[in-house]
Every structure is written in structure tokens, then in C-alpha cells.
Amino acid sequence: MFCYQCEQRAAGACTKIGVCGKKPDVAALQDLLTYLLRGLAVVAREGRRVGVTDREADRFMAVGLFSTLTNVNFDPDRFHDLAARAIELREGLKVRVKAAGGAATYAERAANYTPAAGADLAAEGERCGLGVDHSADADIRSLQHTVLFGLRGVAAYADHARILGQESDEVYAFMHEGMAAIYDDLDLGAWVALALRTGEVNLKVMELLDAANTGTYGHPVPTEVPLGPRRGKAILVSGHDLKDLRDLLEQTEGKGISVYTHGEMLPCHGYPELKKFAHFHGHYGTAWQNQQKEFAAFPGAILMTTNCIQKPASSYMDNIFTTGLVGWPGATHVKNGDFGPVIDKALAMDGFAADEDRGSVLTGFAHNAVLGVADKVIDAVKSGAIRHFFLVAGCDGAKPGRNYYTEFVEKVPADCVVLTLACGKFRFFDKKLGDIGGIPRLLDVGQCNDAYSAIRIAVALAEAFGCGVNDLPLSMVLSWYEQKAVAILLTLLHLGIKDIRLGPTLPEFITPNVLGVLVENYGIRPITTPDEDLAAILG
């Protein structure tokens, strides 16, 4: 086993078992699937050259890559099915490509490889890891892996958007191009360009996802969300998927069940087409890494959508359900939109014994809401009432050092505004920072999936002030954990955004030479201490 794609990896890499709970056989099966996806990409790229596309192969590329992202699928049986489907799609596409005048044979082993009948697929996967078919040059290999991990993030956003009817051939074509490029003789400069292109395509797919979410559920509006439960039966929804939540809300209406959000689902309370359900009550718990403690205390059923699942404790294994691409051995998996088993479990459980007031938090400050009061924000900046904006955003995690973000926000001066998104906000989401002339000093922009909103806000403010984004009184202090954060970082670099502070540690897969390029061209730097970083930013 060799895995270093997330921030929480063991020293150097996870080699015995994943810190996330991923076992060696699952890691090997994910490597095998990635290898097969590279072979499919080679054929799909050749197909586009001769005018042949296959939408099923396109969509499967997103599904397959998303399945290998951190904390999504830990079920080995599901990867056997995915591997078989990758081969089936590849071989079917070969026939069509050849008939259209494309290649009849392929030099790349991954484009031809099929495990022998009855083969141990985990053992096969051990021969297909990150070192296979990647460059022997450490810096080029670093960028190859950066592109791969970025593509896993792109795949996650693309799959979310596709579920709500938003797709792009440009995005699918690049996913094939990026995966197939591993076999091309590219120099360091070309790989840097491909990494930045990954960021550019990620911007496109985040725009698609924003259009999908807001077009389906309306633009989020500022909303106060209770943190305490109310008496009665309960279902907790974690992950990221809005459609799963909407389907569940429809299926639980009138059944005496309150539905709560957990983790990155908090911003869902701001969407008009979701918040209109009277039994959509409040938010429970914090970020993904605390779920073992928080889920054990939840007296209802739990539904995991998309990524962020942790190993369920035995105390709630019978109460947790997975759907979509999420999987954990032993946890009951239900089809998207068919939540009868979840509802039955909730009705059979005790639920909350009494109403409880634990305060509330605000969410719903996506781009439409913030830009709706842009004139007020601009006047506050011009008058000096707002001195600086900080985007303190990104993934949370259990590794020591993340208390930096709590302390940083607590020490941000009273004449500054903090924008936040993704689960990193749970380090400080319930802090009462007050307001500046009616503008809350803590603005929750949304999920990590809503990073496009933060970009829209920054670009609009730059246009209003007649300057570039790098000239705004805006600083980005980011935390990362998994591959969606890698894709977002590549998007920010594609946009030319500089002086980003990143932590709690820098990616293991970035070599010193590649880091040197990022420092020289973009001023990217690791976080230090809140006091030092605030002093450097504010002068």
C-alpha cells in the first residue's frame, strides 16, 4: 500500500493502513481501478480524435475517479464491480473507434490489460499503484500525481452537477486527456501547464454545479439555523448531496420525523426549495472527523451521501445508511432516492426526548446574497469601516495543528470580515463575531462545492473597485484535506491568485522544486502562527 493523497497521511505516506481507515486491499483495488480508468482514457481520447464519443464512458470516468477520492468508498466488493465496468466500457469503445478509422491497437498496457478470470484483484492492484507508468523524475511524477488528485476533485464536482442535469463535453474530454497524458512524453513545463489546465476545467465544472444547485433549489438566502434538536423522531444527513436531501425531505413529509444536517450539509438550510419543508429543522454536530462521537449520540437514523464517511462505531452501525458512491462494509446501502429503510429505522428509534436550545448559526451567504448588498460592502470598504476580508476556508481534519484556524479567526480585528466555506468552518462556525454596519463579520458562503461563490464574490469586488483580485484587501488562508481541495487550489492558481497561505501542512506529493515554482510564481506559503500571519497580512 502506498497512499499520500490526503493531508492526514502518515509520515511520508500510508503504507500499512490508511489513516482514514482504508485497508490495503481497498487501496489496491482503488489503484487497480485508477489504472483501468487510465486505459479507458487512452481509448476515449483516441475516440474523440476520430469523432467518437461515449457518454457512458464519460460519466463513468467521473464516477470511477470520485470513488477513489478520500473517505468515499471503503467497500471492496463495489470496486470489483467498478473494475469490470471499466473494462467493459473500454472494450466496447475500442470497437467503435476502430470502425471510425481510429487506432486498431494500443501500445499502452492499461488500454489492453484485463485480469485473468479468477485473479486476486487486490494483488493485481498492488502492481498498479502510483509508481506504475509514472515518471522516474521526481518533479514530473509530483505534477503527474497533482493532476491525478486534482482530477479526482474535478470528478466529484462533475458527478454532483451531472446528477442535477448539468454536463459538459469539454470537462469530460479533459478528464480523459489528463488521465491519458500519463503515457505522453511531456516535459516539466508541459506538466505545469496541464496542472493549471486542471484548475481551469475545475472552474468550469464548479460553475456547472453552481448553476445546477441554484437552478434546481434557488439561490441561497441568509438563514438562521438552530443547533438544538426538537422533540421527536430524527434523521441526520451528512455528506454533500442536495438531491438526496430533497428526496428524503419529500419522503419524510408528514411522518413526524425531523431532518437534520451534519457537516457540509449545513448550507442546505439556505436554499429556498429545501428550507420550505417545515420538518427540515436544524444542524447537528460539526465536521466529518467527529462523527464517531456525534453519530453515537444521535437517537435516529443517519444517511451518508457522497464523501466524508468514517469507520462507523459498532454502537450505530445498524443505524447508518450509505447511498450513491459511498460505501462501508457492513453498513446498509440504499439506492439514491429510495429511502424507505432509512425512514423505517428512524421511526423505530426513540428520537429526541425534548426540545433543546443550543443557539444558532447563520448560513446562506453565497454569491447572490453577498452581491445583492455589494453596494453596502463597497461603501463600508471606502469609508474604512471594513479594513480587510479574510477567506478562511477549506477542509477540516483530526490532525494536530488545525486549531490554528480557530485562533486566527478569533484574533481577526473587529474591522475585518471573515468569509468561510467547506467543513473547515466548524473550527469557528458558532463564534459570535458581531457585524459591521449590519454586515455580519462571519459569512458562511457554503460547502466546499460552493467555492465558485467565493470566486464570484472576489471577482465582482475587484471589478467594482477597478482592480485585480490580488489588489483587493482580501487574503486567503486555506486548509486542505482531500482531492477537491487540490482541484480548488489549482483553480486559484489558474486564476493567478497570489499569496495564499496553506496548511496545516503542505502536500506530501509536492516536491521541493515544484514548491519552489509555486512560491516564485504565486507566493504560496505555509501557515505559521495566527499572530505572525495576521501581522504580515495587515502590516
Side-chain angles (χ1 to χ4, degrees), residues 352-421:
F352 288 101
D355 295 346
E356 188 174 345
D357 184 2
R358 298 181 185 173
S360 62
V361 293
L362 280 172
T363 191
F365 294 97
H367 61 85
N368 197 61
V370 174
L371 297 181
V373 294
D375 55 343
K376 193 174 182 179
V377 173
I378 292 165
D379 288 344
V381 174
K382 288 182 176 178
S383 70
I386 295 178
R387 176 168 41 146
H388 205 86
F389 295 92
F390 292 93
L391 178 63
V392 185
C395 313
D396 203 2
K399 198 172 181 180
R402 290 181 180 269
N403 59 315
Y404 163 96
Y405 298 93
T406 309
E407 187 180 345
F408 186 95
V409 168
E410 289 174 340
K411 291 183 174 182
V412 166
D415 58 355
C416 300
V417 172
V418 175
L419 295 97
T420 189
L421 57 85

Side-chain angles (χ1 to χ4, degrees), residues 142-155:
S142 170
L143 289 164
Q144 288 174 329
H145 292 172
T146 300
V147 169
L148 170 61
F149 301 153
L151 284 171
R152 286 176 174 167
V154 171

Side-chain angles (χ1 to χ4, degrees), residues 193-431:
L194 196 63
L196 294 176
R197 173 71 174 142
T198 305
E200 180 183 5
V201 171
N202 187 58
L203 179 61
K204 170 69 175 178
V205 80
M206 287 195 299
E207 181 182 12
L208 288 174
L209 180 55
D210 179 77
N213 286 338
T214 59
T216 306
Y217 306 111
H219 285 279
V221 296
T223 301
E224 189 170 0
V225 183
L227 297 177
R230 65 183 175 195
R231 184 177 180 273
K233 308 293 185 178
I235 295 176
L236 185 63
V237 184
S238 193
H240 301 79
D241 196 275
L242 275 61
K243 187 177 187 303
D244 285 337
L245 176 60
R246 171 59 186 259
D247 290 344
L248 180 68
L249 288 169
E250 289 180 341
Q251 292 172 34
T252 49
E253 197 165 22
K255 295 185 181 296
I257 299 172
S258 293
V259 175
Y260 299 82
T261 55
H262 177 269
E264 291 249 48
M265 297 300 284
L266 168 62
C268 296
H269 289 276
Y271 286 91
E273 288 300 309
L274 299 177
K275 66 182 294 181
K276 70 182 184 182
F277 289 91
H279 63 299
F280 187 28
H281 177 60
H283 188 77
Y284 175 92
T286 53
W288 66 270
Q289 78 276 3
N290 300 318
Q291 64 188 247
Q292 288 185 338
K293 176 181 178 181
E294 293 169 353
F295 288 4
F298 188 78
I302 302 160
L303 178 64
M304 293 299 304
T305 75
T306 70
N307 56 310
C308 291
I309 192 170
Q310 262 197 322
K311 180 182 180 180
S314 58
S315 61
Y316 61 86
M317 178 64 88
D318 289 343
N319 311 334
I320 191 168
F321 299 80
T322 62
T323 194
L325 299 182
V326 190
W328 191 281
T332 301
H333 191 76
V334 295
K335 291 182 179 180
N336 292 100
D338 183 10
F339 298 126
V342 185
I343 295 168
D344 291 344
K345 174 60 71 172
L347 291 172
M349 295 182 69
D350 293 338
F352 288 101
D355 295 346
E356 188 174 345
D357 184 2
R358 298 181 185 173
S360 62
V361 293
L362 280 172
T363 191
F365 294 97
H367 61 85
N368 197 61
V370 174
L371 297 181
V373 294
D375 55 343
K376 193 174 182 179
V377 173
I378 292 165
D379 288 344
V381 174
K382 288 182 176 178
S383 70
I386 295 178
R387 176 168 41 146
H388 205 86
F389 295 92
F390 292 93
L391 178 63
V392 185
C395 313
D396 203 2
K399 198 172 181 180
R402 290 181 180 269
N403 59 315
Y404 163 96
Y405 298 93
T406 309
E407 187 180 345
F408 186 95
V409 168
E410 289 174 340
K411 291 183 174 182
V412 166
D415 58 355
C416 300
V417 172
V418 175
L419 295 97
T420 189
L421 57 85
C423 64
K425 65 172 160 274
F426 290 108
R427 293 280 167 171
F428 49 80
F429 80 126
D430 55 353
K431 302 292 181 185

Side-chain angles (χ1 to χ4, degrees), residues 30-308:
Q30 290 183 353
D31 287 341
L32 175 64
L33 177 59
T34 301
Y35 187 69
L36 292 170
L37 290 171
R38 293 212 306 270
L40 174 61
V42 169
V43 181
R45 184 175 64 172
E46 173 67 6
R48 275 187 164 78
R49 189 185 69 81
V50 294
V52 174
T53 58
D54 185 328
R55 189 57 86 216
E56 285 305 305
D58 293 341
R59 291 169 177 167
F60 183 79
M61 182 62 66
V63 166
L65 284 171
F66 192 2
S67 297
T68 66
L69 188 142
T70 300
N71 288 6
V72 175
N73 192 353
F74 296 81
D75 188 342
D77 291 342
R78 302 263 295 279
F79 283 102
H80 284 77
D81 295 337
L82 290 166
R85 182 60 174 155
I87 294 168
E88 179 184 20
L89 287 168
R90 184 193 71 197
E91 294 306 302
L93 188 54
K94 277 183 182 179
V95 174
R96 293 177 56 201
V97 171
K98 181 180 178 181
T105 60
Y106 296 85
E108 298 83 1
R109 179 176 179 268
N112 303 296
Y113 166 75
T114 298
D120 182 340
L121 294 188
E124 293 290 304
E126 290 174 358
R127 295 186 282 273
C128 299
L130 291 174
V132 178
D133 293 337
H134 291 70
S135 176
D137 183 288
D139 296 326
I140 290 180
R141 187 170 63 250
S142 170
L143 289 164
Q144 288 174 329
H145 292 172
T146 300
V147 169
L148 170 61
F149 301 153
L151 284 171
R152 286 176 174 167
V154 171
Y157 295 134
D159 191 60
H160 281 301
R162 187 267 308 166
I163 287 170
L164 293 177
Q166 292 283 342
E167 297 180 271
S168 165
D169 191 65
E170 175 191 355
V171 171
Y172 289 138
F174 179 75
M175 291 173 69
H176 294 309
E177 177 189 342
M179 289 294 287
I182 214 81
Y183 300 106
D184 298 337
D185 186 17
L186 304 178
D187 62 18
L188 195 64
W191 275 105
V192 169
L194 196 63
L196 294 176
R197 173 71 174 142
T198 305
E200 180 183 5
V201 171
N202 187 58
L203 179 61
K204 170 69 175 178
V205 80
M206 287 195 299
E207 181 182 12
L208 288 174
L209 180 55
D210 179 77
N213 286 338
T214 59
T216 306
Y217 306 111
H219 285 279
V221 296
T223 301
E224 189 170 0
V225 183
L227 297 177
R230 65 183 175 195
R231 184 177 180 273
K233 308 293 185 178
I235 295 176
L236 185 63
V237 184
S238 193
H240 301 79
D241 196 275
L242 275 61
K243 187 177 187 303
D244 285 337
L245 176 60
R246 171 59 186 259
D247 290 344
L248 180 68
L249 288 169
E250 289 180 341
Q251 292 172 34
T252 49
E253 197 165 22
K255 295 185 181 296
I257 299 172
S258 293
V259 175
Y260 299 82
T261 55
H262 177 269
E264 291 249 48
M265 297 300 284
L266 168 62
C268 296
H269 289 276
Y271 286 91
E273 288 300 309
L274 299 177
K275 66 182 294 181
K276 70 182 184 182
F277 289 91
H279 63 299
F280 187 28
H281 177 60
H283 188 77
Y284 175 92
T286 53
W288 66 270
Q289 78 276 3
N290 300 318
Q291 64 188 247
Q292 288 185 338
K293 176 181 178 181
E294 293 169 353
F295 288 4
F298 188 78
I302 302 160
L303 178 64
M304 293 299 304
T305 75
T306 70
N307 56 310
C308 291

